[in-house]
Amino acid sequence: MTVPRFAGVVPPIVTPLTAERTVDAASLERLVEHLLSAGVDGVFALGSSGETVFLSDDQRDRALEVIVKTVGGAVPVLAGCIEPSTQRVIDRTAAAVRLGVEAVVTTAPFYAIVGPHEIERHFRAIAAAVPVPVFAYDIPVCVHTKLSVELLTRLAADGVLAGVKDSSGDDVAFRQLCLAVQDADFSLLTGHEVVVDAMMLAGASGSVPGLANVDPAGYVRLHQACVAGDWETARREQDRLTRLFRIVDAADPATSAGATRGVGAFKTALTMLGIIESNAVSLPLRPLDEQEAVRVRTQLDHAGLL
Amino acid sequence: MTVPRFAGVVPPIVTPLTAERTVDAASLERLVEHLLSAGVDGVFALGSSGETVFLSDDQRDRALEVIVKTVGGAVPVLAGCIEPSTQRVIDRTAAAVRLGVEAVVTTAPFYAIVGPHEIERHFRAIAAAVPVPVFAYDIPVCVHTKLSVELLTRLAADGVLAGVKDSSGDDVAFRQLCLAVQDADFSLLTGHEVVVDAMMLAGASGSVPGLANVDPAGYVRLHQACVAGDWETARREQDRLTRLFRIVDAADPATSAGATRGVGAFKTALTMLGIIESNAVSLPLRPLDEQEAVRVRTQLDHAGLL
Amino acid sequence: MTVPRFAGVVPPIVTPLTAERTVDAASLERLVEHLLSAGVDGVFALGSSGETVFLSDDQRDRALEVIVKTVGGAVPVLAGCIEPSTQRVIDRTAAAVRLGVEAVVTTAPFYAIVGPHEIERHFRAIAAAVPVPVFAYDIPVCVHTKLSVELLTRLAADGVLAGVKDSSGDDVAFRQLCLAVQDADFSLLTGHEVVVDAMMLAGASGSVPGLANVDPAGYVRLHQACVAGDWETARREQDRLTRLFRIVDAADPATSAGATRGVGAFKTALTMLGIIESNAVSLPLRPLDEQEAVRVRTQLDHAGLL
Amino acid sequence: MTVPRFAGVVPPIVTPLTAERTVDAASLERLVEHLLSAGVDGVFALGSSGETVFLSDDQRDRALEVIVKTVGGAVPVLAGCIEPSTQRVIDRTAAAVRLGVEAVVTTAPFYAIVGPHEIERHFRAIAAAVPVPVFAYDIPVCVHTKLSVELLTRLAADGVLAGVKDSSGDDVAFRQLCLAVQDADFSLLTGHEVVVDAMMLAGASGSVPGLANVDPAGYVRLHQACVAGDWETARREQDRLTRLFRIVDAADPATSAGATRGVGAFKTALTMLGIIESNAVSLPLRPLDEQEAVRVRTQLDHAGLL
């Protein structure tokens, strides 16, 4: 196995907003620097953690502009181009490529009811239209379709896809995919921040951990231990990070759900670390309140981050 | 029970495309006239049958422009404003209102994982921002959340929503909703074209039948029979239309899924009726092929439409 | 259309239990008489409302014995034979037939993961082994598979099935099935007690309403109005019954789910009507408490049953 | 972390059947010896791979009798007691305990619609009634409920459960559970045979690999490497076994589904290895045919087992 071009820790960067819900460029610059100084291997802009489906095209362009400029070529920038259908994705990739990203990341179609043939046609049409590498974003919890091992293997072999960001929660399929593509130049990035050690053992090339917004240095240490074959160190670091991930339980479950709880907690933690200004999130999400923030602070403290 | 403002047959108009997949304005004008001359009570533009999530904002604006102009105030035009999140919906409603629609129709958030609190905040924020009546589009097969009877009842009572387009496939919940809102000025439009008679008996105000693109006169007769209490006539007309609906089974199931099969069949039928020019559909859907078209023709023939 | 052999109102009778959770034969006899004196057309024993999967084989046999004896041939008795797999179903049907039932009702396999071929083989093997008519019980909310219109149509045409008890919640498929089997001697019984009028208009032969345990006379009047073509009367009766169905919302949703809420409410109502002795239910369900029972009483009162 | 009482490789033994579908005792004895001679740490009888929901109580008792006798106390025998509801499970556990098993394994209720309160009551009632340790079998693909980390943690802390057999496919929840129960005497057995190395790294105590029927020695080597911290060896062994697992793809997907494909392949492989007599499976499953068997043989050959 050779290391594919895109590997290592590639945090899905959150998009800091002002209280008026405009992109907060100064906070975003600080966040990029926070990631780079920890030694990350890439930045994934406008993913689910980046509130991509909540942002207007203008907001998306502004966020990309700030990220690409601040990264300054130090590491690759991958951009989520997440739209329900083929032509809309292609239109977004054009903007992203113009703004200087190294690769684009896109999901299966969503909202419209489609089957395997439509999904394959979707990825092939996008790859044919885009001059940079294309990643598949496998996230059934959002698009309600799992990309099959067979499809991903075929698209890897045909050079349609450069890799996958796996947020499928299906480690069995991920393991089978690792074996199926091991001779291709194909990046296998796990999106599950609490099992990075296990997925690296299984054959992943790297990770896209939302929690790395908060503790990028921890994920860099974890990745380095895995690459070095020091699995006991990796496991200890992972266990610490898995406990830290409990910040996503800070929001009251009676009045909040998935996106509010995840992005809301990451942003709240980043304000406590002095990196971003506000924990504002897009409608219809709500920011964590003060009582919830106390729970985030407790976990940051336990993880040694304060 | 008084008849609410929006009632009767309100077809979700398809968006004819040229072979190059641009909006075919001439075909769209003919289609609007086909509906109006049959006596429909409204037109629902840019719904799921209108390929709304496949179209760019420019295409959407163009389609709306042609529809509003051709309808010419004869009946209300409702516009689907279907985007994954609150602010994006609001941005689309602004365009639709500017182009002259009488009401907007929007779904629960999709892609992002949200819960009941986020969904309620979503509809309230949209209604507060929009100067025209707002309909909820209850379509769990696309957005993967069912709008609860409790939520819809509350939003009806508070004047947030003017009605619902029910494509939930949950006739039990629909019946309970009919009873719960019967004292409000609230439109209950069923989106299920094969059970309009039954849903009218249950208390619906009208229907949004995709199949009415093909046979609007049939749905007008069906609606009139229901309103007149002539349920046997209604049932016979419905049975004929339910059989006609088999055109959605024309596409080979081994190589096509939901959106391809439905919109693809409606468009193919409309070309055979001489109303639209091409059966082209948006990527990643595919148009029905010749062999599949033969099956559509057979059903049109059985229904007495050729 | 001719009326099939099994038609009309066929309540899925609950199984009264003592406080020690043994079958309460005296209560069960009174309940059977309550149904018969209201004029029901059949009794469906050991369905979901009958707590069939909670009962031991001895309890099931005892319940069947009491029901068959008390019915005394006045109307047909259908028996649920609900087991996860083919041979276990066949073993149960043998017991039911020995105890004198006129037909058996069985679901698709559950627990084990099966596909359409296994499901078809299941029903064919059962029908081949059983000397009485076999009904399919289409209840995806319990078995997590929907029986397709194609499969049911084929099994009807081949004489494998005598009918279906439709608890699928899919009125679109039910309507298509009504058309597909209209020339066969096939009973179409809807299990959704709040839309019986609509499903009768759509072509049902009758209903299996859990709520008919509580108000069998209401369902008999509803059925007679439908058969007479008096749909306005049917709708009014249905609306009253749909409101009465709110007794299933009496149990606190924070501490109860489906089976507790439905069977628990039916049994609580029957104790208030003086028909059964105890509202005890099988583990892990819990009986409704006093505060919840007050809500049941309020609805019974509104429906004119007290 | 101390090693809990139940740990290591605990294959979920298949139940060999004769062509007439009776329990084939001679084949079952050979299969037990095949497992024991490979050095397994326990035997899990009557799990999903054991066709438990397909067997009559007599067949189940017969299989348990043969297994317990042949094992002869060499390792613990765990028995699946898989029934839809509480009392039925308790009745089955009584039979299993009488036949000499060391622990019982049971799922959440299935078929009936229940919620978290009913599920917790279910496990507590069973544990209170059973004199041997109780394992939870977390298998949402069969029972359509995931046991939450919170529930399992609470039941572990209260001594209700001795462990979990995790077939949830949710490695994120499994990792969180590993951390949550690490101070309890609680066995964490993964049921996913293709990611045992990764789950052992994550904190599992052992595995229940269906594929270990075919290659128990491979799983014993894999487990020993994990325990020794030799993760590279573990990964290589796992990769070989993951490839071998492709035997479950041997059956034609157009005419077979889950249970047929899995158990059918394991049994076919065992006939080729000369361990069991027939690849017969219970209705409504079907055995693999000759063409499908060829594909199984190819994989056995690649894995070095022929």
Side-chain angles (χ1 to χ4, degrees):
Chain A
M1 267 194 298
T2 53
V3 176
R5 178 171 161 203
F6 298 94
V9 179
V10 186
I13 193 167
V14 303
T15 307
L17 300 177
T18 65
E20 294 73 34
R21 299 198 190 99
T22 59
V23 174
D24 177 349
S27 289
L28 184 50
E29 287 170 11
R30 280 194 302 273
L31 179 54
V32 171
E33 283 154 10
H34 172 60
L35 301 180
L36 291 178
S37 67
V40 302
D41 303 288
V43 173
F44 174 30
L46 300 175
S48 304
S49 297
E51 292 175 66
T52 189
V53 295
F54 298 97
L55 304 179
S56 69
D57 286 349
D58 286 349
Q59 287 176 303
R60 292 166 173 180
D61 288 352
R62 178 68 179 135
L64 267 190
E65 194 175 39
V66 173
I67 293 166
V68 170
K69 187 175 165 199
T70 312
V71 167
V75 297
V77 176
L78 293 75
C81 294
I82 299 179
E83 291 282 346
S85 56
T86 312
Q87 189 56 49
R88 289 182 67 96
V89 170
I90 292 173
D91 292 349
R92 280 314 300 159
T93 60
V97 170
R98 184 174 38 78
L99 290 165
V101 306
E102 268 80 9
V104 294
V105 187
T106 189
T107 68
F110 51 94
Y111 186 88
I113 305 165
V114 295
H117 286 80
E118 284 90 354
I119 295 172
E120 181 157 358
R121 210 177 289 131
H122 176 74
F123 282 113
R124 290 189 184 272
I126 291 166
V130 176
V132 298
V134 176
F135 276 70
Y137 193 169
D138 192 15
I139 186 158
V141 76
C142 291
V143 304
H144 302 276
T145 318
K146 169 84 183 81
L147 300 177
S148 72
V149 174
E150 292 68 30
L151 174 64
L152 289 171
T153 305
R154 194 161 57 242
L155 295 178
D158 292 355
V160 173
L161 293 178
V164 67
K165 192 226 155 173
D166 180 78
S167 297
S168 72
D170 185 339
D171 57 335
V172 167
F174 187 71
R175 179 57 162 264
Q176 290 164 329
L177 181 64
C178 290
L179 287 178
V181 300
Q182 66 183 6
D183 297 327
D185 178 23
F186 192 79
S187 295
L188 293 151
L189 305 179
T190 178
H192 292 294
E193 55 261 276
V194 309
V195 289
V196 171
D197 56 349
M199 293 306 103
M200 289 295 293
L201 181 64
S205 325
S207 58
V208 184
L211 187 62
N213 280 282
V214 179
D215 191 1
Y219 279 97
V220 169
R221 286 193 299 271
L222 167 53
H223 183 76
Q224 290 171 343
C226 292
V227 170
D230 181 359
W231 297 102
E232 299 301 333
T233 298
R235 164 154 61 180
R236 274 195 306 275
E237 190 69 44
Q238 179 67 77
D239 279 353
R240 189 185 62 83
L241 291 164
T242 301
R243 287 194 185 91
L244 175 61
F245 190 64
R246 288 177 189 157
I247 60 173
V248 308
D249 295 328
D252 182 353
T255 60
S256 65
T260 292
R261 297 164 68 74
V263 178
F266 296 159
K267 285 191 162 180
T268 299
L270 287 167
T271 61
M272 288 172 180
L273 298 175
I275 294 163
I276 72 171
E277 188 70 27
S278 161
N279 72 346
V281 288
S282 306
L283 276 176
L285 311 185
R286 67 166 176 79
L288 268 57
D289 64 24
E290 285 188 33
Q291 196 177 348
E292 294 166 336
V294 169
R295 290 184 211 118
V296 172
R297 184 176 293 277
T298 303
Q299 297 293 344
L300 291 179
D301 199 14
H302 285 174
L305 295 181
L306 291 181
Chain B
M1 267 195 298
T2 54
V3 176
R5 180 170 159 203
F6 297 94
V9 179
V10 186
I13 192 167
V14 303
T15 307
L17 300 177
T18 65
E20 295 73 36
R21 299 198 189 99
T22 59
V23 173
D24 177 350
S27 288
L28 184 50
E29 286 170 11
R30 281 195 299 275
L31 179 54
V32 170
E33 283 155 9
H34 173 59
L35 301 180
L36 291 179
S37 67
V40 303
D41 303 287
V43 173
F44 173 31
L46 300 176
S48 304
S49 297
E51 292 175 67
T52 189
V53 296
F54 298 96
L55 304 179
S56 69
D57 286 349
D58 285 350
Q59 287 176 303
R60 292 166 173 180
D61 287 353
R62 179 68 179 135
L64 267 190
E65 196 175 37
V66 172
I67 293 167
V68 169
K69 188 176 166 198
T70 313
V71 167
V75 297
V77 176
L78 293 76
C81 294
I82 299 180
E83 290 282 346
S85 56
T86 312
Q87 189 57 48
R88 289 181 68 95
V89 171
I90 292 172
D91 293 349
R92 280 313 301 158
T93 61
V97 170
R98 184 172 41 76
L99 290 165
V101 306
E102 269 80 9
V104 294
V105 187
T106 189
T107 68
F110 52 94
Y111 188 87
I113 305 164
V114 295
H117 286 79
E118 284 90 355
I119 294 172
E120 182 157 357
R121 208 178 289 132
H122 176 74
F123 282 113
R124 290 189 184 273
I126 291 166
V130 176
V132 298
V134 176
F135 276 72
Y137 193 169
D138 192 16
I139 187 158
V141 76
C142 290
V143 304
H144 302 277
T145 318
K146 169 85 183 82
L147 300 177
S148 72
V149 174
E150 292 69 31
L151 174 64
L152 289 171
T153 305
R154 194 160 58 241
L155 295 178
D158 292 355
V160 172
L161 292 179
V164 67
K165 192 226 155 173
D166 180 77
S167 296
S168 72
D170 185 340
D171 57 333
V172 167
F174 187 71
R175 180 57 162 265
Q176 290 164 329
L177 181 65
C178 290
L179 288 178
V181 301
Q182 67 183 3
D183 297 326
D185 177 23
F186 192 79
S187 295
L188 292 152
L189 305 178
T190 179
H192 292 293
E193 55 261 274
V194 308
V195 288
V196 171
D197 57 347
M199 293 306 104
M200 290 296 292
L201 181 64
S205 325
S207 58
V208 184
L211 187 62
N213 281 282
V214 179
D215 191 2
Y219 279 97
V220 169
R221 286 193 298 271
L222 166 54
H223 184 76
Q224 289 170 342
C226 292
V227 169
D230 182 358
W231 297 103
E232 300 301 332
T233 298
R235 164 155 60 180
R236 274 196 304 275
E237 190 69 45
Q238 179 67 77
D239 279 353
R240 189 185 61 82
L241 291 164
T242 301
R243 286 193 185 91
L244 175 61
F245 189 65
R246 289 178 188 155
I247 60 173
V248 308
D249 295 328
D252 182 353
T255 60
S256 65
T260 292
R261 297 163 69 73
V263 178
F266 296 159
K267 286 191 163 179
T268 300
L270 286 167
T271 61
M272 288 171 179
L273 298 175
I275 295 163
I276 73 172
E277 189 71 26
S278 162
N279 72 346
V281 288
S282 307
L283 276 177
L285 310 186
R286 67 164 177 80
L288 268 56
D289 64 24
E290 285 188 33
Q291 196 178 348
E292 294 166 335
V294 169
R295 291 185 210 119
V296 172
R297 183 177 293 276
T298 304
Q299 297 295 344
L300 291 179
D301 199 15
H302 285 174
L305 296 180
L306 290 181
Chain C
M1 267 195 296
T2 55
V3 176
R5 179 172 161 202
F6 298 95
V9 179
V10 186
I13 193 167
V14 303
T15 306
L17 300 178
T18 65
E20 295 73 34
R21 301 199 189 96
T22 60
V23 173
D24 177 351
S27 289
L28 184 50
E29 286 170 11
R30 281 194 301 274
L31 179 54
V32 170
E33 284 154 9
H34 172 59
L35 301 181
L36 291 178
S37 67
V40 302
D41 303 286
V43 172
F44 173 32
L46 300 176
S48 304
S49 297
E51 293 175 65
T52 188
V53 295
F54 298 97
L55 305 178
S56 69
D57 286 348
D58 286 350
Q59 287 176 303
R60 292 165 173 181
D61 287 352
R62 178 68 178 135
L64 266 190
E65 193 176 41
V66 173
I67 292 167
V68 170
K69 187 176 167 199
T70 313
V71 167
V75 296
V77 176
L78 293 76
C81 295
I82 299 180
E83 290 282 347
S85 57
T86 312
Q87 189 56 48
R88 290 181 67 96
V89 170
I90 292 172
D91 293 349
R92 280 313 302 158
T93 61
V97 170
R98 184 174 38 77
L99 290 165
V101 306
E102 269 81 8
V104 295
V105 187
T106 188
T107 68
F110 51 94
Y111 186 87
I113 305 165
V114 294
H117 287 80
E118 284 90 354
I119 294 172
E120 181 156 0
R121 209 177 289 131
H122 176 74
F123 283 112
R124 290 189 183 274
I126 292 166
V130 176
V132 298
V134 176
F135 276 70
Y137 193 169
D138 192 14
I139 187 160
V141 76
C142 290
V143 304
H144 302 277
T145 318
K146 169 84 184 83
L147 300 177
S148 72
V149 174
E150 293 69 31
L151 174 64
L152 290 171
T153 304
R154 193 161 57 243
L155 295 178
D158 291 356
V160 173
L161 293 178
V164 67
K165 192 225 155 174
D166 180 78
S167 297
S168 72
D170 186 339
D171 57 334
V172 167
F174 187 70
R175 179 58 161 264
Q176 290 163 331
L177 181 65
C178 289
L179 287 179
V181 300
Q182 68 183 3
D183 297 326
D185 178 24
F186 192 79
S187 295
L188 292 151
L189 305 178
T190 178
H192 292 293
E193 55 261 274
V194 308
V195 289
V196 171
D197 57 348
M199 293 306 103
M200 290 296 291
L201 181 64
S205 325
S207 57
V208 185
L211 186 63
N213 281 282
V214 179
D215 191 2
Y219 279 97
V220 169
R221 286 193 299 271
L222 167 54
H223 184 77
Q224 290 170 342
C226 293
V227 170
D230 182 359
W231 297 103
E232 299 300 332
T233 298
R235 165 155 61 179
R236 274 196 305 275
E237 190 70 43
Q238 179 67 78
D239 279 351
R240 188 184 63 81
L241 291 164
T242 300
R243 286 194 186 92
L244 174 61
F245 190 64
R246 289 179 188 155
I247 60 174
V248 308
D249 294 328
D252 181 353
T255 59
S256 64
T260 292
R261 298 165 67 73
V263 179
F266 296 159
K267 286 191 162 180
T268 300
L270 287 167
T271 61
M272 289 171 180
L273 298 175
I275 296 163
I276 72 172
E277 188 71 28
S278 161
N279 72 347
V281 288
S282 306
L283 275 177
L285 310 186
R286 66 166 177 82
L288 267 56
D289 64 26
E290 285 188 33
Q291 195 177 348
E292 294 167 335
V294 169
R295 291 186 210 118
V296 172
R297 184 177 293 277
T298 302
Q299 297 294 344
L300 291 179
D301 199 14
H302 285 175
L305 296 180
L306 291 181
Chain D
M1 265 194 298
T2 54
V3 176
R5 178 170 161 202
F6 297 94
V9 179
V10 185
I13 192 168
V14 303
T15 307
L17 300 177
T18 65
E20 294 74 35
R21 301 199 188 97
T22 59
V23 173
D24 178 350
S27 288
L28 183 50
E29 287 170 10
R30 280 195 301 274
L31 179 54
V32 170
E33 283 154 10
H34 172 59
L35 301 181
L36 291 178
S37 67
V40 302
D41 303 287
V43 173
F44 173 32
L46 299 176
S48 304
S49 297
E51 293 175 65
T52 188
V53 295
F54 299 97
L55 303 178
S56 70
D57 286 348
D58 286 349
Q59 287 176 302
R60 292 165 174 182
D61 288 353
R62 179 67 179 136
L64 267 190
E65 194 175 40
V66 173
I67 293 167
V68 169
K69 186 174 168 202
T70 314
V71 168
V75 296
V77 176
L78 293 76
C81 294
I82 299 180
E83 290 282 347
S85 56
T86 312
Q87 188 57 47
R88 291 182 67 95
V89 170
I90 292 172
D91 293 349
R92 280 313 301 157
T93 61
V97 170
R98 183 173 38 77
L99 290 164
V101 305
E102 269 80 8
V104 294
V105 187
T106 188
T107 68
F110 52 94
Y111 187 87
I113 305 165
V114 295
H117 287 80
E118 284 91 354
I119 294 172
E120 181 157 359
R121 208 177 288 132
H122 176 73
F123 283 112
R124 289 189 184 274
I126 292 166
V130 177
V132 297
V134 176
F135 276 71
Y137 194 168
D138 192 15
I139 187 160
V141 76
C142 290
V143 304
H144 302 277
T145 318
K146 169 84 183 84
L147 300 177
S148 71
V149 174
E150 292 69 31
L151 174 63
L152 289 171
T153 305
R154 193 161 56 242
L155 295 177
D158 292 355
V160 172
L161 294 178
V164 67
K165 192 225 153 173
D166 180 78
S167 296
S168 72
D170 185 340
D171 57 334
V172 167
F174 187 71
R175 180 59 162 264
Q176 290 164 329
L177 181 64
C178 289
L179 287 179
V181 301
Q182 67 183 3
D183 297 327
D185 178 23
F186 192 80
S187 295
L188 292 152
L189 305 178
T190 179
H192 292 293
E193 55 262 273
V194 308
V195 288
V196 170
D197 56 348
M199 293 305 104
M200 289 296 291
L201 181 65
S205 325
S207 58
V208 185
L211 187 63
N213 281 282
V214 179
D215 191 2
Y219 279 97
V220 169
R221 286 193 299 271
L222 166 54
H223 183 77
Q224 290 170 341
C226 293
V227 169
D230 182 358
W231 297 103
E232 299 301 331
T233 298
R235 165 156 60 180
R236 274 195 305 275
E237 190 70 43
Q238 179 67 76
D239 279 352
R240 189 185 61 82
L241 291 163
T242 301
R243 285 195 186 90
L244 175 60
F245 190 65
R246 288 178 189 156
I247 61 174
V248 307
D249 295 328
D252 181 354
T255 60
S256 65
T260 292
R261 298 164 67 74
V263 178
F266 296 158
K267 286 191 161 179
T268 300
L270 287 166
T271 61
M272 289 173 180
L273 298 175
I275 295 164
I276 73 172
E277 188 72 26
S278 161
N279 71 348
V281 288
S282 306
L283 275 177
L285 310 186
R286 66 164 177 81
L288 267 56
D289 65 24
E290 285 187 34
Q291 195 177 348
E292 295 167 335
V294 169
R295 291 185 209 119
V296 172
R297 184 177 293 277
T298 303
Q299 297 294 345
L300 291 179
D301 198 14
H302 285 175
L305 296 180
L306 291 181

